[in-house]
Amino acid sequence: MADISRTLTLNRASIEDAHKLTKPHIHLTPVLTSTTLSDLASTPQAPEALNGTENEGRRPARPKVKLFFKCENYQRAGAFKSRGAFHALTRLSREELKKGVVTHSSGNHAQALALAARTYEIPAYIVMPTISTPSKIAATKGYGAEVIFSGSTSQEREAVVEEVIKKTGATLVPPYDHPNIVLGQGTMGLELESQVADMIAANPSIGIHANAQAEHDGVNGVNGVNGHSRKRTELDAVITPCGGGGMLSGNAIAFSDTDTLVFGAEPSFEGADDARRGLAANSRIETVKTLTIADGLRTPVGKIPWSIISDKDKVRGIYSVSEEQIKKAMRLVMERMKVFVEPSAVVGLAVCLYNEEFRSLVEENAGEEGWNLGVVLSGGNTTLEAVSKLFQVSEDNAERAEGVLGRDGERVAENVAG
């Protein structure tokens, strides 16, 4: 990859520059709203849902939010990763491009870099863990990349990458730990800010601050951290998934000069919440080995993203959720919003719905008025077969859910107009 000393400064202006370069290659993904999900996120959890947690016996939080979903599952190659991959290639020299590119990825960055390489008509060598989702392996090969398999830890993957570089001279395009990747991922933040502003301008009632809009007119900025002026936006906060940290840190930079607060979300299964634990210990955790269903987040935060994420002025906090909570959020997005997503995509929503610490923070900071909250749905690279396994139920329950059993338990033919 390009020498870090030759890369742009990690600031909003650099993200704006990255956006100009990548616009011809990426989609302007939609921002969707859901009254149902906003209402659910604004409803206190049942007291029994807190049993067995540190919040047992406490009054459930009563946050008030309007959710705005940035749907990166509709991005090219099915996930946000195309932003960083295309930006990285725009920064390579002709000589570097000729020798091709190499990376290690569990799937989404693999597909994104393979697509970008095909666009530039250069070779792509992708190192993938043997536990990668089969559909992601197939898609990566479908874009014309050569796939090489490795172990599942970042150290095992990086060792194979080094072998490929020695053999081919290809340039490493890491999945998250490079300024050009971080800046590319941050372009979604610029879009989200602009899209939500346009949506609320066209229909103020969809925002939480409709009644306070007159007070905002003519106000260009607010006092931020350390007294610095920050640009006022319609978004009070944004939450993104966090794996290697490229997306979270990129969004943190994009919103760093605004009054929008940025949060991260992780799965907790088998220590996948390394960023949250690292913040608590004030030290980056370098190794993660987990089989969380959120397979795109099975990696530790990189050094460069960590330098942003560990800055409390840029990222206000990271929260984690269980596998069951991820599945519940995924079901809601698919059944209520009719949007096809992978498990990694919904960890931010799961935090909004089920993480009591985060929900209490929103209630405390947003007060009676509430927050406009941006939620990044990071990707949709999964299959019907994989989804069906996640939600597999007994035959009896499945039949009843489909209405093929009568009220008295008798098997009947369903012939009711829908």
Side-chain angles (χ1 to χ4, degrees):
M1 190 80 171
D3 190 321
I4 290 179
S5 65
R6 294 191 285 117
T7 60
L8 299 175
T9 304
L10 290 173
N11 58 29
R12 184 179 170 100
S14 296
I15 291 178
E16 291 170 346
D17 189 50
H19 198 218
K20 291 175 185 176
L21 287 175
T22 56
K23 266 187 176 181
H25 302 296
I26 62 173
H27 294 324
L28 174 62
T29 52
V31 172
L32 302 180
T33 60
S34 169
T35 300
T36 298
L37 295 192
S38 290
D39 288 348
L40 286 172
S42 301
T43 302
Q45 297 193 81
E48 53 267 26
L50 306 182
N51 290 345
T53 74
E54 61 184 18
N55 295 295
E56 183 175 354
R58 298 181 183 177
R59 176 185 70 82
R62 293 174 169 83
K64 183 178 179 182
V65 295
K66 291 286 185 72
L67 303 179
F68 294 83
F69 296 92
K70 180 62 169 169
C71 297
E72 287 293 290
N73 53 308
Y74 296 129
Q75 188 53 262
R76 294 190 69 188
F80 75 98
K81 293 283 191 177
S82 292
R83 296 176 181 274
F86 273 104
H87 182 237
L89 266 59
T90 66
R91 299 295 183 180
L92 296 182
S93 67
R94 288 185 179 181
E95 290 72 21
E96 288 171 321
L97 288 170
K98 286 179 182 178
K99 295 180 180 179
V101 290
V102 60
T103 196
H104 58 88
S105 167
S106 63
N108 284 341
H109 179 64
Q111 293 174 73
L113 186 61
L115 171 63
R118 187 180 73 177
T119 302
Y120 277 79
E121 299 182 336
I122 62 173
Y125 308 96
I126 311 296
V127 176
M128 301 186 76
T130 54
I131 61 172
S132 298
T133 305
S135 62
K136 293 182 179 182
I137 296 172
T140 302
K141 290 180 177 180
Y143 288 124
E146 180 180 335
V147 173
I148 304 105
F149 292 105
S150 73
S152 60
T153 68
S154 57
Q155 292 90 338
E156 290 170 319
R157 292 186 248 176
E158 288 164 4
V160 177
V161 165
E162 287 301 317
E163 294 176 9
V164 174
I165 292 173
K166 289 178 182 178
K167 181 180 178 181
T168 66
T171 298
L172 171 63
V173 179
Y176 47 83
D177 206 8
H178 193 279
N180 287 341
I181 298 295
V182 170
L183 294 173
Q185 315 304 24
T187 59
M188 80 177 71
L190 302 183
E191 294 176 1
L192 177 58
E193 177 191 325
S194 175
Q195 288 170 293
V196 171
D198 289 345
M199 292 168 69
I200 293 177
N203 181 11
S205 66
I206 68 171
I208 206 94
H209 308 301
N211 295 329
Q213 189 61 45
E215 299 177 13
H216 293 179
D217 291 345
V219 180
N220 295 319
V222 295
N223 288 330
V225 178
N226 299 324
H228 297 303
S229 179
R230 289 176 177 262
K231 176 184 175 185
R232 188 184 295 281
T233 77
E234 293 289 357
L235 283 168
D236 297 288
V238 170
I239 187 165
T240 86
C242 181
M247 173 170 47
L248 176 57
S249 59
N251 277 276
I253 295 167
F255 287 104
S256 62
D257 294 331
T258 76
D259 61 346
T260 303
L261 305 180
V262 177
F263 299 90
E266 294 179 297
S268 59
F269 186 68
E270 294 181 338
D273 56 342
D274 62 291
R276 185 194 65 80
R277 293 183 292 114
L279 289 179
N282 200 31
S283 177
R284 185 176 74 93
I285 294 173
E286 299 183 9
T287 302
V288 173
K289 195 163 187 176
T290 173
L291 290 178
T292 172
I293 59 173
D295 63 292
L297 308 179
R298 295 172 179 171
T299 184
V301 173
K303 292 180 181 178
I304 292 171
W306 177 256
S307 70
I308 304 298
I309 293 169
S310 59
D311 183 344
K312 292 182 180 179
D313 289 348
K314 292 185 171 66
V315 176
R316 288 302 180 95
I318 296 180
Y319 301 86
S320 62
V321 284
S322 68
E323 302 291 274
E324 190 60 33
Q325 289 167 337
I326 293 171
K327 287 168 63 176
K328 287 165 66 177
M330 188 176 176
R331 180 187 290 276
L332 285 169
V333 171
M334 289 186 166
E335 293 184 351
R336 301 301 181 93
M337 292 183 68
K338 318 305 178 188
V339 172
F340 193 79
V341 288
E342 60 186 281
S344 302
V346 301
V347 292
L349 173 61
V351 166
C352 296
L353 293 169
Y354 310 118
N355 185 289
E356 195 66 9
E357 183 183 357
F358 178 77
R359 290 168 59 80
S360 296
L361 179 147
V362 176
E363 180 185 15
E364 180 181 346
N365 286 268
E368 288 296 320
E369 187 179 18
W371 274 357
N372 290 327
L373 179 53
V375 180
V376 176
L377 299 178
S378 55
N381 286 321
T382 187
T383 64
L384 288 174
E385 290 79 10
V387 172
S388 66
K389 288 180 180 178
L390 281 179
F391 297 102
Q392 195 168 30
V393 295
S394 69
E395 184 177 348
D396 287 346
N397 287 338
E399 285 182 336
R400 188 169 293 281
E402 293 301 319
V404 299
L405 292 180
R407 185 171 55 186
D408 59 0
E410 218 177 290
R411 188 181 298 274
V412 296
E414 184 177 36
N415 190 24
V416 180

